[in-house]
Amino acid sequence: MGSVTASGRLDVFVVCFLLPSFNSANWIMAETPELRIFPTTGLGVKEHSQIVAHHNRLRSRVKPMAANMQKMDWNEELATLAKERATLCHKEPFLQHSSSFSHIGWNTHLSVVGAASFSDITDFWFEEGKDFLYSSGRCKENATCQHYTQLVWATSSQVGCANQQCWRNGELWEIFVCAYYPGGNWEVNGQLVMPYKSGLYCSLCTSSMSGCLRLWDHVGGLCEIPKNPCRMNCGEHGHLNISSCKCKCDLGFTGRFCQVRCNVQCVHGHFKEEGCSCLCAVGYGGAECAEKVEFPFQSCDLIIDGNCFMVSSDVETYYGAKSHCQEQGGILAQILNQKVQDILAFYLSQLETSNELTRNDFETENFWIGLTYKPPKDSFRWDTGEIPKYFSFAFGQPDNQGFGNCVELQASSGFNWNDQRCKTLNRYICQHGMDENLD
């Protein structure tokens, strides 16, 4: 039996008896019985998990495959409503108490006590799918499909179930009830709305359910709210900030995924946590700033306001260049004002094309300076940690923050700045004897 509500909802009130032989031929429509009610059978956490897992397993196996089938989760409030309905044993019309849910869907089933489990009953509901014609959205004549269509209603993502023992004419029976939210089995002009959309699994998930669950016993995937929308893991030495999709590393670890153990002692300098490295004091170099380095002022290419700038004849990645400068007791060049920018740009433009390089596998004619984009702080910073007060980016730059994290002087743009992939092989400019008080 069924009834269509004013809003087009088809509620199913099919009651069946399952005889001990558990043969589908023995399922019959029931007359309204006089029933004696027993306390509701309690379901534990294990049973909740089994019911949900079996629902999801079957929902992944619909034919044709579903493109928008959502994963179901257990809902305790729905389970309470299912208990209230089960307690009636169909003796009286069910009057739903006020709840936070609207449009709840129901599947109910009555069988001989002990003859079936929730898994058996759910399988029976799913078997109705053999009589459902997806191409037309209809059930075969004289067949019932509404338990099946509610079970596989794609947007029904919450379920709560209960079972109850009842006496009927001296025999003990058991009623199984499942409540679904949002409910399904909607009709438009007498035709059932399709329970799901066919297609490759998870291909029509919504933006809010962009995850795709596919377990070993699933045929297709189920749309779910992704537990980790960042799709990254910070490992055992970090903690993921979901809102920023960045790792906060434990003390002694660094790297994007906190995968680098950081055990550095900075003898003459201070420790930089972001790069797990030392920023050496003037005149010291090496990985731990323990080596005294004499400034090679005699080989300076340029001296600007007391600072020595040396242009490399070699090419390196950004971090290779940074390391080379540090080994010489310097840093990658910092351009703090227009004067330094103008002089460096002019000098680089005047370099002869025959300027010999020790390696010829360079990718550009550009030069690294000591500026990088720091995702954790969402800003460009000099290698000393300072926020720049002066910029000279080329027109349209920077254009790839987060991907081109390192800054170069770009030959094709008059040696104005460009953000570039840090693995690019460029020449570089080292700076010695920096006066931090320069304007």
Side-chain angles (χ1 to χ4, degrees), residues 109-357:
H109 193 83
L110 193 65
S111 70
V112 174
V113 70
S117 64
F118 256 114
S119 180
D120 297 325
I121 300 305
T122 309
D123 283 336
F124 180 79
W125 291 336
F126 189 74
E127 285 296 313
E128 290 181 2
K130 293 180 178 178
D131 294 321
F132 180 70
L133 305 175
Y134 184 89
S135 57
S136 63
R138 296 182 180 276
C139 196
K140 293 179 181 178
E141 190 174 356
N142 298 324
T144 298
C145 296
Q146 284 84 1
H147 297 96
Y148 167 77
T149 50
Q150 174 57 79
L151 174 64
V152 301
W153 200 267
T155 55
S156 293
S157 59
Q158 303 286 314
V159 63
C161 302
N163 54 337
Q164 168 74 49
Q165 295 180 2
C166 313
W167 278 105
R168 177 185 180 274
N169 299 329
E171 291 186 79
L172 191 60
W173 299 81
E174 188 171 11
I175 188 171
F176 295 84
V177 179
C178 284
Y180 301 89
Y181 180 81
N185 287 334
W186 295 95
E187 288 188 349
V188 176
N189 298 326
Q191 183 173 358
L192 181 70
V193 175
M194 296 300 285
Y196 63 86
K197 297 176 183 178
S198 63
L200 179 65
Y201 64 83
C202 293
S203 60
L204 292 177
C205 295
T206 62
S207 59
S208 62
M209 296 193 110
S210 58
C212 186
L213 174 73
R214 193 184 186 203
L215 301 180
W216 66 273
D217 57 352
H218 287 187
V219 173
L222 304 174
C223 304
E224 68 170 347
I225 298 174
K227 294 182 176 62
N228 183 352
C230 303
R231 290 175 171 80
M232 62 183 287
N233 190 309
C234 297
E236 60 179 318
H237 301 297
H239 310 278
L240 180 64
N241 184 327
I242 297 294
S243 60
S244 64
C245 291
K246 294 166 186 172
C247 295
K248 180 173 178 58
C249 301
D250 295 339
L251 186 64
F253 290 87
T254 188
R256 184 181 179 191
F257 306 111
C258 303
Q259 76 279 20
V260 179
R261 182 179 293 276
C262 194
N263 185 19
V264 178
Q265 294 182 348
C266 301
V267 180
H268 297 285
H270 67 267
F271 176 68
K272 293 189 62 183
E273 184 177 354
E274 289 177 6
C276 187
S277 62
C278 296
L279 179 65
C280 298
V282 173
Y284 290 90
E288 297 185 345
C289 302
E291 302 171 14
K292 181 69 174 176
V293 179
E294 298 295 334
F295 291 165
F297 284 107
Q298 68 279 7
S299 60
C300 288
D301 294 305
L302 287 170
I303 297 178
I304 308 174
D305 294 332
N307 293 309
C308 170
F309 294 87
M310 298 174 59
V311 179
S312 76
S313 58
D314 197 1
V315 291
E316 279 290 352
T317 65
Y318 180 89
Y319 289 103
K322 178 180 174 181
S323 178
H324 277 295
C325 289
Q326 183 166 307
E327 288 172 0
Q328 299 171 23
I331 58 174
L332 276 173
Q334 297 190 11
I335 303 176
L336 304 183
N337 53 51
Q338 190 66 54
K339 175 183 178 181
V340 177
Q341 172 66 27
D342 288 345
I343 294 174
L344 281 177
F346 175 77
Y347 178 81
L348 296 177
S349 66
Q350 295 298 307
L351 285 179
E352 297 180 5
T353 57
S354 61
N355 198 359
E356 184 179 352
L357 297 179

